[in-house]
Amino acid sequence: MRIAHVTDFYLPRLGGIEMHVRDLAVRQQDAGHDVEIITSSPRPAERRHLEEADGLRVHRLTESAPLAHALHPAGLVAARRLLRRGKYDVVHVHAGPFSPLAFSAITLSGENPTVVTAHSMISYLEPAFRALNATTGWAALPAVWTAVSDVAAEPLRRLVAPSPVHVLPNGIDASGWQIDRLDRVPEEVLVVAVMRLAKRKRPQHLIKMLRRAHERLGPDVRLRAVIVGEGPERRTVERYVRKHGMSGWVSLPGRQSRSQIRELFRRADLFVAPATLESFGIAALEARCAGLPVVARSESGIREFVGEGLEGLLVASDADMIDAIVRLGADHDLREKIADHNRTMPPQVTWPDVMARTDAMYGLATERTPRRELPAVRGLFRTAG
């Protein structure tokens, strides 16, 4: 098949969508498909070798636009021109909460078999999407709608009903995250978080919760924390750490490679995911496959691969999350019980399963491509390209 992945978010920007699109595209290419990426994410010159190593053809729209900006209209026009002339067998659109490129591609779903995957929780944006649908009619387009978790699918189902919304989760190479843990001292507890340091991921809330947990555990448990990631909230978190004298036990190493994160997991005792708007949580899944107990919010998509008391602890509030960190920090036996379960029971969202689900969605999109005149999408993007 000739496949185009359309995404506003791609490497070197780091996040769940970026890594999933790259990993999926590489696996499809290895399976013999002709795969291209169409993205509005810019590419720093020093990272060109990464795309050469993957062997993927990546169309960077910002490099051909008069202004190097993801929202420049020329980029959207260039994308539509690519999609119309590319003779793709299927277009796979990856959408976040604010994805002008993805939305522009969705409006062409009557011309190309199209699968749309929602990678984010959009419940808080439902009124805006309903207003946009009233002016453009996008929800009636003949795309195959999917989301990375059932939690993420629910608001989308309300928007595109009666069309179904299928669950198409992110994939993971579970064996690649299996590790040999270093010997642990029961009284030393290393908490790890891996996230983009942006408000939606709630890093400021996390650092405050860690401070409270550290105070409650006291000198009997030597709690340390490592928060991996970069983003606009980094300076705010650093200021909080300095202000409250946490530099001796909290580390902010910035962005790290997968191999560095795996090595960190070897020394870690538990993983914390504080975001409430977490649609899937690939970092939490990686930690779970490495054997770490996971502490996460019960309303997030993480609940679909972390069961309460099995793979970790699910909580309903920040106060409950502090309690969970303290509980696991103080109870070495509970940590080991959950870790043993996670090491021996692989998750159900491994790449073979995800690839099979993806192929099924592509088949549906091909069947759904209409042979009749389609209802026009009104207003936005109507004449672009």
Side-chain angles (χ1 to χ4, degrees):
M1 297 183 71
R2 182 163 166 76
I3 304 167
H5 289 283
V6 181
T7 175
D8 295 73
F9 315 100
Y10 194 64
L11 303 175
R13 188 181 186 273
L14 191 61
I17 300 178
E18 295 86 342
M19 295 304 300
H20 175 73
V21 172
R22 179 265 175 193
D23 290 346
L24 175 58
V26 168
R27 281 167 173 79
Q28 289 174 331
Q29 182 173 259
D30 290 345
H33 299 294
D34 181 5
V35 187
E36 298 182 359
I37 310 292
I38 300 174
T39 182
S40 51
S41 289
R43 172 187 55 192
E46 66 270 18
R47 297 212 175 251
R48 291 178 186 271
H49 68 283
L50 296 179
E51 289 169 13
E52 294 170 0
D54 289 340
L56 295 170
R57 185 177 182 185
V58 181
H59 300 277
R60 301 270 182 181
L61 302 175
T62 51
E63 294 177 355
S64 59
L67 295 175
H69 193 287
L71 294 179
H72 196 282
L76 301 181
V77 171
R80 293 171 70 82
R81 188 178 298 117
L82 280 169
L83 291 172
R84 280 178 162 149
R85 298 177 180 176
K87 297 181 180 180
Y88 298 108
D89 296 302
V90 66
V91 175
H92 194 160
V93 179
H94 303 268
F98 182 67
S99 305
L101 173 61
F103 188 84
S104 180
I106 292 169
T107 64
L108 294 180
S109 59
E111 302 179 29
N112 296 302
T114 301
V115 174
V116 181
T117 299
H119 287 262
S120 300
M121 304 273 278
I122 63 170
S123 53
Y124 69 106
L125 291 173
E126 255 188 87
F129 280 108
R130 289 192 183 280
L132 186 61
N133 185 50
T135 57
T136 65
W138 66 268
L141 290 165
V144 171
W145 304 97
T146 71
V148 293
S149 64
D150 200 56
V151 171
E154 278 307 306
L156 185 57
R157 287 181 180 129
R158 292 191 292 269
L159 290 166
V160 302
S163 296
V165 177
H166 308 270
V167 174
L168 187 58
N170 290 350
I172 191 167
D173 177 8
S175 62
W177 287 94
Q178 292 176 351
I179 58 173
D180 295 322
R181 294 180 70 212
L182 299 177
D183 292 337
R184 307 297 303 134
V185 177
E187 296 78 19
E188 294 181 356
V189 176
L190 176 59
V191 178
V192 172
V194 179
M195 65 172 73
R196 178 166 167 76
L197 299 183
K199 285 187 177 181
R200 290 184 70 253
K201 299 297 184 179
R202 306 179 74 237
Q204 293 185 53
H205 295 78
L206 173 61
I207 200 67
K208 293 175 182 178
M209 288 187 281
L210 289 172
R211 179 186 170 210
R212 300 303 180 197
H214 186 268
E215 291 172 350
R216 285 177 54 182
L217 286 167
D220 293 338
V221 176
R222 295 186 292 278
L223 184 72
R224 294 183 297 120
V226 178
I227 304 174
V228 176
E230 286 290 353
E233 296 296 297
R234 180 183 178 91
R235 290 186 178 180
T236 302
V237 174
E238 287 176 332
R239 285 196 298 269
Y240 188 92
V241 168
R242 290 193 301 268
K243 178 180 177 180
H244 295 280
M246 301 166 65
S247 301
W249 59 276
V250 173
S251 174
L252 296 163
R255 177 173 177 162
Q256 294 198 331
S257 67
R258 282 174 164 169
S259 60
Q260 289 174 312
I261 293 171
R262 278 194 294 267
E263 186 61 28
L264 176 62
F265 285 170
R266 292 185 67 205
R267 301 182 281 113
D269 296 284
L270 61 103
F271 183 94
V272 179
T276 56
L277 296 174
E278 190 68 79
S279 58
F280 185 80
I282 188 64
L285 179 59
E286 292 164 351
R288 177 251 184 268
C289 290
L292 297 185
V294 175
V295 179
R297 292 292 292 251
S298 57
E299 67 265 51
S300 73
I302 294 173
R303 73 184 188 192
E304 297 184 24
F305 55 83
V306 172
E308 170 62 24
L310 293 175
E311 292 84 10
L313 301 179
L314 297 174
V315 301
S317 67
D318 287 358
D320 291 343
M321 184 163 281
I322 296 169
D323 291 341
I325 296 171
V326 171
R327 180 185 174 192
L328 284 169
D331 193 335
H332 175 264
D333 292 341
L334 178 59
R335 294 200 306 272
E336 289 302 305
K337 176 184 175 181
I338 296 175
D340 288 342
H341 170 85
N342 288 351
R343 285 193 295 267
T344 56
M345 298 293 292
Q348 296 182 348
V349 287
T350 57
W351 272 115
D353 175 64
V354 172
M355 293 290 284
R357 294 196 204 188
T358 302
D359 287 346
M361 294 301 103
Y362 289 1
L364 284 177
T366 301
E367 294 172 4
R368 187 170 297 180
T369 302
R371 306 299 181 187
R372 55 183 173 77
E373 185 176 349
L374 294 167
V377 178
R378 305 181 298 275
L380 199 62
F381 307 121
R382 182 177 56 193
T383 59

